[in-house]
Amino acid sequence: MQPSSRVTQIRNHRPGLTKLPLAAAICFAISSAAFAQSTETPAPATPAAKPAPAGTRPAHELGTVTVTAQKREENLQAVPISIEALGQVKLDQMNVTNFSQAVALLPSLSFDKGEGGSTTPYIRGVASGENGNHSGPQPSVGVYLDEQPITTIGGLLDVHAYDIDRVESLSGPQGTLYGASSQAGTLRIITKKPDPSGFAAGYSFELNSISHGGNGHIAEGYLNAPISDHAAIRIVAWDQYDAGYIDNVFGTRTFPGWDADSGGHGTIDNAAVAKNNYNDVTTRGARAALKLDFGENWTVTPTIMTQSQLTHGNFSTDPVLGDLKIQKWYPEKYDDKFTQAALTVQGKIGNFDLTYAYTHLKRDIDSDSDYSDYAFWYDAYYHAYGYTNYFTDDNGNFINPSQLIHGVDNFRNSSHELRISSPQDNRFRVLFGYFWQQQEHKILQRYSTAGDLNSNLEVTGWPDTIWLTNQLRKDHDEAFFGEMSFDFTDKLTATAGMRFYKYDNSLKGFFGFNANAPLGYKYGEALCFSPEQFQGSPCVNLDDSVKKSDHIGRFNLTYKINDTKLIYLTWSEGFRPGGVNRSNPSGQSPAYLPDILTNYEFGWKTSWFDNQLTFNGSVFQENWQDVQFGFIPPGGAGLTIIRNAGTARIRGFEADLNWAVSYNFTLSGGISLYDAKLTSDYCGFNDIHGNPVTSCPAGTIDPGDPNDPTDDEAVDGPAAAAGSRLPITAKFKGNLTGRYTFDVGESEVYVQGSLFHEGNRLGYLVTADNATYGTLAAYNLFDLSAGIHKNSWSLDFYVKNVFDERNQQGKFAGCVGPCATGVPGYVPEYPNGQQYLIAGQPRTFGIRFSQEF
């Protein structure tokens, strides 16, 4: 049992950090100092601008952007992959304060926002609309903080965007260098590093106000302090309060069955939690990094970062109640805390560059969710069949059947990566390495009733708990990877890469009802096969694993037309590991297969007019095989299962432009166009051998339980036919920003305007779901900002979403069946079911003062 929405994300002994990697790496660095040579690879130089005629002001050049997408420092314009980079200057100019806000600036990136505020990113339309359940597929987009992976199921790690060197978005499969979670692309957050060359410090204060909502603030600062000529420390801290803008309005709710069976006492109200602007978020964190240089060639950088993000309330709205309004009956929160400790060692052995990266990520999510919709709508739908007879206390009295979910998600991720690369100025170059990762996810979801539940119906040992999920998920990955490049001429270069990987994923624990539960005979204690009390649960009824080894590849041809222009052709593969479905006694849910994405791409990187304009882009086709799709089937206990949904194809065009029109005026923007669709039927069932069925015209037999021939039945056709559009991603997305800067005395003043457009999107893969919920409407957002900079200080003003548009980010219902389709006669105000909308933030005004020393 779980919230029955694709959009809904379940709010999800602390091991000590291993000392061995740190000690070994430092000792290795010191002992190898004899091999010392320069560790930095200079970025290709940008051609110098032509001298301006005497007495005229020179044209403003675009700055050089250095990236490390290919595990080495390079000029972005020389990297033959589709990559977008947002530097700290751009992030400040666009008033970006967290990672999810950067999504609007990256046309290739889409996202799915959960009702608790969590965000799941998607790149190039590689999305099946699966829900974000803890036992679902791994993400298709890998997220890295510096050298270390921070990808977890359950939403993006929303790192506060301050003192960030840049954000890199790598589109297309990046599996050769980045592995399993980079099937569709990779997002990288690169922080600023300690600098021994001099002292630096800065701070910033911001006040903001949301239309129809409350007032927020941000305080942040950094300090860079040299310790010696060869060592420095950098410390960063932030405190951010995002005000709420959704009102939890007062209301009453009468449970039809409970009211009738309890003599008219089946009404509740939400007076205790009704509140305006109740979806506020508080984010606090700090980061510290130490840089130690040993000789001229070796650098050791230990880093630790911690952040807590406490979200109250809910980000969904009920349109029936009015604009930005909802009715929730019990307190809700989402308390997300993480700490990441990392170590990076860089140096040289002879002429070869060596990099070792270690990380340990600890993420804990403590959440409370109102799940009373499930009980209310099932009571309305089934009360004639005695639904509320199930909810009694020990004396046989009927109780409030509302359910609450208390969730605890403990993530632990440790990884090691060691790679070696040859000198980059050689005609033949190689890079090879080894990657090891161990992820653990402890999952606790306790579905408790608001009233005192009969002890004979409680999950044994868990008072008032009607359903318990208590599991441990382990995902283990190892890989050897490598790339080699050869310059056939000074213009033509070929690069080939391979990644040999293996994974071993398992899921163990308990899920379900008490053995006495009349509605839950399929799940729970009745299915226990081991008396082991797993993490306090009554027994074990789930213990399964899946493992596989394979390889993927990449090939690239790059042709440099001249020093400022290149074109490239790329073939690349990416994958997500397969995994375990929770036990199903009917045998209909075997382990799911890995899905593979194959990319064919032609791209270009060009700079024009002495680097006053850059125009980059790509056209591509991606073939997606054995698409992993997590969904909640009808009936049963609403348990997510994952099946392979056949094949899909994404064709697209992406481009970005940056233009220094004059010394005063710059223009930048990007667009993406996608045609993403299924190329085979998604039938939603397997054949008798457990393989996904990919062609099922009306009359095709669904074998159901392969051991029960009486279970066979004919289907009406595919759940989604070949040619159906994939969800989440719009056919067109784009942005355009103009910035005008001029001098007033000794001060620099600017005005800036930004326009963002995203086309309509489907919310679901399944045709019937889209018919129920409809499409997410297209929207346009317009932002304005202005400011003044003088000497060391700056003062900025901004308005986001100037026209206060309700940009739709998701639609869902609180449970499958009656929640989405309605109960005519019983709930007249919701004839089509109670459906929720997730909308973006309303118009927001802000003022920020910042200073650097």
Side-chain angles (χ1 to χ4, degrees):
M1 181 179 291
Q2 60 201 18
S4 307
S5 156
R6 174 193 57 76
V7 179
T8 299
Q9 307 269 346
I10 303 299
R11 282 52 128 209
N12 304 303
H13 161 111
R14 176 181 177 180
L17 294 182
T18 304
K19 297 180 180 178
L20 179 59
L22 175 61
I26 293 176
C27 290
F28 182 67
I30 295 174
S31 65
S32 303
F35 295 101
Q37 293 185 28
S38 174
T39 63
E40 294 188 0
T41 303
T46 302
K50 295 178 180 178
T56 64
R57 202 172 195 181
H60 184 57
E61 276 192 5
L62 297 170
T64 299
V65 179
T66 300
V67 296
T68 52
Q70 297 190 117
K71 307 282 189 175
R72 57 183 179 269
E73 290 189 350
E74 298 173 285
N75 184 341
L76 181 145
Q77 290 300 112
V79 180
I81 62 175
S82 181
I83 176 175
E84 300 163 283
L86 304 174
Q88 181 67 67
V89 172
K90 184 69 171 182
L91 295 172
D92 289 342
Q93 289 177 353
M94 303 305 296
N95 302 293
V96 171
T97 59
N98 56 54
F99 197 27
S100 59
Q101 290 177 349
V103 170
L105 305 176
L106 302 169
S108 63
L109 196 63
S110 302
F111 69 96
D112 194 0
K113 188 169 183 177
E115 59 178 317
S118 59
T119 300
T120 302
Y122 298 94
I123 289 179
R124 284 187 169 177
V126 182
S128 64
E130 73 274 359
N131 65 37
N133 186 257
H134 50 76
S135 59
Q138 290 190 22
S140 64
V141 174
V143 183
Y144 279 69
L145 181 60
D146 292 321
E147 293 284 346
Q148 295 79 22
I150 56 171
T151 312
T152 59
I153 293 174
L156 189 71
L157 207 63
D158 199 7
V159 177
H160 183 76
Y162 179 70
D163 201 49
I164 299 296
D165 190 67
R166 65 189 178 277
V167 173
E168 297 178 3
S169 175
L170 287 61
S171 298
Q174 304 295 326
T176 303
L177 293 181
Y178 291 97
S181 293
S182 294
Q183 177 194 41
T186 300
L187 297 173
R188 306 181 69 229
I189 309 168
I190 312 299
T191 62
K192 290 188 176 180
K193 305 300 186 293
D195 182 2
S197 66
F199 174 86
Y203 66 89
S204 174
F205 294 107
E206 177 181 314
L207 297 176
N208 52 64
S209 180
I210 302 176
S211 296
H212 322 287
N215 301 318
H217 66 262
I218 304 174
E220 51 199 7
Y222 77 90
L223 172 69
N224 183 88
I227 301 173
S228 70
D229 292 342
H230 304 286
I233 188 170
R234 195 176 190 98
I235 300 173
V236 188
W238 55 91
D239 184 303
Q240 177 172 347
Y241 175 73
D242 296 322
Y245 50 87
I246 294 174
D247 297 339
N248 188 20
V249 298
F250 175 80
T252 62
R253 168 174 274 180
T254 299
F255 290 78
W258 181 32
D259 188 60
D261 296 332
S262 63
H265 299 291
T267 298
I268 62 173
D269 66 52
N270 66 345
V273 295
K275 178 185 177 182
N276 290 342
N277 310 326
Y278 91 132
N279 61 320
D280 60 285
V281 183
T282 300
T283 305
R284 295 187 175 100
R287 183 176 72 247
L290 176 66
K291 182 179 181 182
L292 301 170
D293 293 331
F294 296 94
E296 297 180 356
N297 303 320
W298 288 90
T299 298
V300 177
T301 309
T303 305
I304 188 165
M305 177 178 177
T306 185
Q307 178 177 286
S308 66
Q309 189 171 75
L310 177 60
T311 303
H312 293 111
N314 194 287
F315 282 77
S316 59
T317 66
D318 184 343
V320 172
L321 298 174
D323 184 36
L324 300 176
K325 298 185 185 301
I326 197 174
Q327 278 181 347
K328 288 293 182 177
W329 309 91
Y330 301 95
E332 294 188 299
K333 71 171 185 179
Y334 186 78
D335 190 2
D336 187 353
K337 299 177 181 178
F338 77 86
T339 298
Q340 187 221 34
L343 173 72
T344 303
V345 179
Q346 295 174 302
K348 282 185 175 290
I349 299 178
N351 289 327
F352 281 73
D353 294 311
L354 179 145
T355 299
Y356 167 74
Y358 164 76
T359 185
H360 179 80
L361 173 67
K362 175 182 181 291
R363 184 184 188 186
D364 297 312
I365 302 174
D366 191 352
S367 61
D368 291 312
S369 305
D370 180 355
Y371 199 44
S372 59
D373 280 356
Y374 183 91
F376 172 74
W377 283 93
Y378 271 72
D379 187 18
Y381 200 82
Y382 292 115
H383 80 272
Y385 301 97
Y387 178 82
T388 51
N389 293 338
Y390 182 61
F391 297 92
T392 63
D393 61 20
D394 284 335
N395 296 317
N397 300 314
F398 295 102
I399 65 169
N400 181 353
S402 297
Q403 295 175 37
L404 318 171
I405 307 173
H406 177 65
V408 177
D409 293 89
N410 302 128
F411 298 91
R412 303 293 182 267
N413 184 334
S414 294
S415 68
H416 303 264
E417 180 170 305
L418 179 67
R419 62 178 185 270
I420 299 174
S421 60
S422 63
Q424 295 306 301
D425 55 358
N426 288 354
R427 186 176 184 182
F428 177 70
R429 303 174 295 280
V430 296
L431 181 153
F432 55 91
Y434 171 73
F435 176 77
W436 181 98
Q437 179 175 246
Q438 179 71 37
Q439 300 182 77
E440 291 190 358
H441 181 188
K442 290 184 179 180
I443 306 153
L444 176 65
Q445 289 180 350
R446 178 182 178 184
Y447 291 68
S448 60
T449 54
D452 295 327
L453 185 63
N454 189 318
S455 56
N456 289 326
L457 299 177
E458 300 168 344
V459 175
T460 302
W462 296 78
D464 301 327
T465 301
I466 189 173
W467 175 282
L468 179 69
T469 297
N470 192 7
Q471 299 168 349
L472 176 62
R473 174 172 178 161
K474 292 184 178 181
D475 294 273
H476 178 76
D477 301 277
E478 294 183 55
F480 288 95
F481 61 91
E483 285 194 347
M484 56 184 179
S485 299
F486 181 73
D487 298 331
F488 289 101
T489 69
D490 59 351
K491 293 181 178 294
L492 182 64
T493 300
T495 300
M498 295 286 287
R499 190 178 188 96
F500 298 88
Y501 65 85
K502 66 178 181 179
Y503 61 80
D504 186 351
N505 302 335
S506 64
L507 191 62
K508 179 180 180 179
F510 173 86
F511 67 100
F513 298 101
N514 181 292
N516 299 320
L519 300 179
Y521 63 93
K522 288 185 177 181
Y523 306 103
E525 296 183 49
L527 291 178
C528 289
F529 53 76
S530 170
E532 173 188 355
Q533 288 195 345
F534 184 81
Q535 299 178 169
S537 56
C539 58
V540 172
N541 62 11
L542 168 64
D543 188 0
D544 203 356
S545 64
V546 61
K547 61 179 64 177
K548 183 179 176 64
S549 60
D550 208 334
H551 65 276
I552 54 174
R554 175 178 180 265
F555 182 77
N556 172 275
L557 274 177
T558 301
Y559 183 76
K560 296 180 181 178
I561 300 172
N562 54 40
D563 289 341
T564 61
K565 299 172 184 64
L566 65 82
I567 57 176
Y568 66 87
L569 288 169
T570 295
W571 166 85
S572 59
E573 294 179 307
F575 79 104
R576 279 190 299 181
V580 175
N581 275 301
R582 284 190 275 184
S583 298
N584 187 327
S586 68
Q588 297 182 61
S589 301
Y592 55 94
L593 305 172
D595 55 354
I596 305 295
L597 188 71
T598 304
N599 177 52
Y600 305 90
E601 180 173 340
F602 168 73
W604 59 93
K605 297 286 182 73
T606 64
S607 176
W608 304 82
F609 314 122
D610 296 323
N611 201 38
Q612 293 179 39
L613 182 147
T614 62
F615 176 59
N616 304 330
S618 63
V619 291
F620 64 88
Q621 175 169 312
E622 295 183 338
N623 297 330
W624 193 3
Q625 183 179 356
D626 293 326
V627 176
Q628 292 178 9
F629 176 50
F631 70 105
I632 300 170
L639 225 62
T640 292
I641 63 173
I642 300 92
R643 289 193 177 138
N644 296 97
T647 57
R649 185 210 67 210
I650 303 104
R651 290 175 176 163
F653 167 80
E654 299 167 343
D656 64 81
L657 178 143
N658 292 278
W659 184 16
V661 181
S662 68
Y663 181 85
N664 301 93
F665 183 56
T666 58
L667 195 66
S668 61
I671 61 170
S672 61
L673 296 96
Y674 299 124
D675 177 22
K677 61 181 63 175
L678 288 175
T679 50
S680 65
D681 290 346
Y682 168 58
C683 299
F685 59 88
N686 300 328
D687 61 23
I688 59 173
H689 303 294
N691 300 311
V693 175
T694 57
S695 178
C696 50
T700 302
I701 299 299
D702 176 357
D705 183 349
N707 300 315
D708 181 6
T710 64
D711 195 32
D712 299 354
E713 62 179 71
V715 300
D716 296 328
S724 297
R725 181 178 164 191
L726 296 182
I728 307 300
T729 302
K731 292 183 177 180
F732 174 75
K733 181 183 178 184
N735 65 73
L736 182 67
T737 296
R739 184 181 180 89
Y740 187 79
T741 305
F742 57 96
D743 294 334
V744 177
E746 296 181 354
S747 302
E748 183 181 78
V749 179
Y750 78 90
V751 291
Q752 176 177 286
S754 300
L755 177 65
F756 306 93
H757 172 82
E758 187 163 14
N760 65 61
R761 291 135 290 141
L762 299 178
Y764 298 83
L765 178 69
V766 174
T767 304
D769 289 338
N770 287 313
T772 298
Y773 298 102
T775 61
L776 299 172
Y779 65 84
N780 298 291
L781 300 180
F782 185 58
D783 294 352
L784 279 175
S785 60
I788 182 171
H789 174 77
K790 183 178 182 180
N791 299 325
S792 65
W793 61 266
S794 299
L795 183 64
D796 299 273
F797 305 86
Y798 69 82
V799 185
K800 293 184 179 181
N801 192 4
V802 171
F803 300 108
D804 199 24
E805 184 162 349
R806 297 292 174 267
N807 51 313
Q808 298 180 359
Q809 299 177 354
K811 292 181 179 180
F812 69 98
C815 61
V816 294
C819 279
T821 57
V823 187
Y826 291 116
V827 193
E829 61 268 39
Y830 294 103
N832 298 316
Q834 188 172 17
Q835 300 179 20
Y836 293 98
L837 172 69
I838 296 177
Q841 188 166 306
R843 180 172 50 234
T844 303
F845 302 85
I847 178 172
R848 181 176 66 246
F849 178 82
S850 55
Q851 188 173 17
E852 293 194 350
F853 306 95

